[in-house]
Amino acid sequence: MLEVGIKGQRETIVTKQNTAAGIGSGSLEVFSTPMMILLMEESCFISVDDKLDEGFTTVGISVNVKHLSATPLGMKVEIKSELIKVDGRALTFKVEAYDEKGLIGEGIHERFIVNNEKFQAKTDSKSDK
């Protein structure tokens, strides 16, 4: 059952592969904003996935975050998420990112509950296959 207050957490170590230079979103070897957002979405998704009815999942529909501070190679990054609003099938999460020195990112992520088969079929119908 989905209730406000459900929390999630993910973490990673900054490597060359998840830096701005490594993924092509910039030229510096610092933890990239796209990877921070990826972990934020993953934390939210995983925190509620096992609470949904069989055959349903969530999809991201909005991300509004700020990347406040850069994180160097080798440092740990931890993401925390909390479900702060349930409005029918719309879920709103507060997300925060920390490195070993403090807060590096924060914002809001919204997800929507969908039926797996219906969503996939609708998406697949867009292709010419």
Side-chain angles (χ1 to χ4, degrees):
M1 179 157 164
L2 293 176
E3 297 178 350
V4 168
I6 293 172
K7 294 184 178 173
Q9 185 272 338
R10 303 303 291 164
E11 63 182 49
T12 193
I13 301 295
V14 180
T15 65
K16 288 182 183 258
Q17 290 77 24
N18 60 19
T19 63
I23 69 164
S25 68
S27 60
L28 300 174
E29 289 193 341
V30 297
F31 190 58
S32 72
T33 302
M35 294 304 294
M36 181 183 76
I37 292 169
L38 171 72
L39 285 176
M40 288 173 165
E41 285 205 53
E42 186 179 35
S43 178
C44 297
F45 163 70
I46 289 172
S47 73
V48 297
D49 193 53
D50 66 348
K51 295 163 181 55
L52 300 174
D53 291 338
E54 187 172 332
F56 287 82
T57 191
T58 60
V59 294
I61 59 169
S62 172
V63 179
N64 185 3
V65 299
K66 293 182 180 181
H67 198 163
L68 305 169
S69 180
T71 304
L73 286 169
M75 194 172 273
K76 181 171 83 168
V77 172
E78 180 181 18
I79 304 296
K80 295 180 181 183
S81 64
E82 181 178 357
L83 182 59
I84 60 171
K85 183 179 178 184
V86 178
D87 184 10
R89 295 189 300 155
L91 308 177
T92 304
F93 296 85
K94 174 180 149 185
V95 289
E96 297 174 327
Y98 297 87
D99 65 19
E100 297 168 37
K101 298 294 183 180
L103 183 70
I104 64 164
E106 62 185 356
I108 299 294
H109 175 47
E110 295 175 310
R111 298 187 71 78
F112 200 77
I113 300 169
V114 298
N115 176 285
N116 294 347
E117 287 184 20
K118 288 181 183 178
F119 188 88
Q120 192 67 58
K122 183 178 178 181
T123 303
D124 291 347
S125 73
K126 293 170 72 174
S127 69
D128 294 328
K129 294 180 185 178

